Amino acid sequence: MTKVWNTSEIPDQSGRTAVVTGANSGIGLVTARELARRGARVILACRSETRGREAEATIRADVPGADVAFVRLDLADLSSVREFASAVRAERLDLLINNAGVMALPYGTTADGFETQFGVNHLGHFALTGLLVPKLLDTPDARVVSVSSGLHALSNIDINDLNSERNYRRWVAYGRSKTANLLFVHELTRRLVTAGSGLVAAASHPGYAATNLQTAGVRMEGRTGAERAVELGNRVFAQSAETGALPTLYAATAPCVLPDSFTGPRFLGWRGGPGPSWRAKWTTNDVAGERLWTASEQLTGVTYAGLDSLGTGGTRGGGG
């Protein structure tokens, strides 16, 4: 990439369908809007129906004639993930953008008992991708893009304490969940290559972009002063959600994206247009990727049946 890539370079997406998780605000909303602007049908996968419907209306106002539809998805509840997959079963699927996430929350658990950051950021998307992978495998030039973070560098996963039950530290747990995103992409790529599939799995991150992600944790604790400080930091130091979405849009649509690539802002991984991003060496560890994959299958009850049958010709059950 010799020049700064921007949304004008997104190829025509007419006839293609994208699912964008967390599409009601921030990076997800911009990603969904720009894909719709280029002609894609975009499914807005959001937890809140109110905010999802508002995002639907916002995109239609910005992009007259946009083909967008809200479908409820709560990544903190595996039953909701399965319901979502069933609801979009009749849809074609070219792009799955695993964008939704939570950051640095007080300790909590999902509906299925997983630590919230690991459960939402990794396990929910692992299950969603597994349930939708047969559709992606059936679609030429399909892609899965998982949004990680430069803060994956805070911590490697602990395979013996994936739910941070021994010692919960919010930022360490966040780093682990973002490392899990990258290990997921790495292991999914390895399995796709083994199966001879053309489906591309890639990762991206927005750098420091001003979204509501930064304020969610302190708001939950009622720390008004800290919330105001974070909001000030966003205004002074962060780039816009518009710019923060560029790495994701690049990974999803640019013609030269490689499997298991990691795209982020060019300038120190913090700001600017998309470029190759540094990643910690532990995020490309084959053994760790396989162990996390196995644990994720066991925890979610979701296996990648379509991919397994491509690679082995077997009949392994999938989709819970």
Side-chain angles (χ1 to χ4, degrees):
M1 290 176 281
T2 58
K3 63 176 183 176
V4 177
W5 187 92
N6 58 58
T7 56
S8 69
E9 299 178 62
I10 298 174
D12 181 24
Q13 299 295 301
S14 299
R16 293 168 66 79
T17 299
V19 167
V20 182
T21 69
N24 56 280
S25 65
I27 305 302
L29 178 59
V30 175
T31 299
R33 184 194 67 206
E34 295 307 315
L35 291 173
R37 194 187 304 280
R38 299 300 294 158
R41 170 169 170 76
V42 184
I43 298 171
L44 312 176
C46 313
R47 181 175 59 85
S48 165
E49 179 166 2
T50 299
R51 292 195 293 271
R53 297 293 184 194
E54 288 173 352
E56 197 176 24
T58 296
I59 293 173
R60 289 202 176 108
D62 290 343
V63 185
D67 186 0
V68 293
F70 161 75
V71 180
R72 187 177 182 277
L73 169 66
D74 184 355
L75 289 162
D77 184 345
L78 292 177
S79 66
S80 175
V81 176
R82 291 186 172 89
E83 288 170 5
F84 176 89
S86 295
V88 301
R89 185 165 291 162
E91 297 274 359
R92 169 193 177 99
L93 185 57
D94 300 82
L95 294 174
L96 173 59
I97 312 295
N98 291 325
N99 163 79
V102 293
M103 184 172 75
L105 301 182
Y107 181 80
T109 57
T110 68
D112 304 282
F114 309 126
E115 186 275 312
T116 302
Q117 296 189 84
F118 180 67
V120 171
N121 296 351
H122 170 64
L123 289 177
H125 281 127
F126 178 91
L128 177 66
T129 307
L131 292 166
L132 297 180
V133 79
K135 298 174 68 62
L136 291 159
L137 292 169
D138 285 343
T139 307
D141 301 318
R143 293 186 191 178
V144 178
V145 178
S146 295
V147 180
S148 182
S149 169
L151 293 178
H152 77 274
L154 290 172
S155 182
N156 194 358
I157 62 166
D158 182 348
I159 197 66
N160 297 311
D161 189 25
L162 291 173
N163 284 299
S164 301
E165 294 171 320
R166 290 201 295 258
N167 180 22
Y168 182 75
R169 289 174 289 171
R170 68 183 70 195
W171 284 106
V172 170
Y174 179 70
R176 287 175 174 175
S177 73
K178 296 288 103 179
T179 284
N181 293 153
L182 288 170
L183 278 173
F184 165 67
V185 169
H186 180 70
E187 179 64 11
L188 177 56
T189 296
R190 189 184 70 80
R191 290 171 181 250
L192 289 167
V193 170
T194 299
S197 171
L199 174 62
V200 171
S204 66
H205 77 94
Y208 183 9
T211 70
N212 59 15
L213 193 66
Q214 291 91 351
T215 56
V218 290
R219 184 180 299 120
M220 286 176 65
E221 295 179 314
R223 295 163 57 196
T224 305
E227 183 178 352
R228 289 174 179 167
V230 172
E231 290 173 344
L232 177 61
N234 280 355
R235 288 196 297 271
V236 174
F237 299 110
Q239 63 183 0
S240 68
E242 307 282 336
T243 306
L246 291 178
T248 297
L249 287 163
Y250 181 93
T253 67
C256 55
V257 171
L258 296 175
D260 200 25
S261 56
F262 188 31
T263 303
R266 281 171 173 263
F267 181 67
L268 301 177
W270 187 350
R271 302 175 66 93
S277 187
W278 173 87
R279 62 195 288 181
K281 62 181 180 180
W282 59 68
T283 67
T284 56
N285 184 295
D286 289 349
V287 173
E290 186 170 7
R291 293 182 72 188
L292 177 63
W293 187 281
T294 299
S296 300
E297 286 186 329
Q298 293 170 348
L299 291 168
T300 63
V302 174
T303 57
Y304 283 50
L307 180 55
D308 290 338
S309 63
L310 267 184
T312 65
T315 58
R316 189 179 185 185

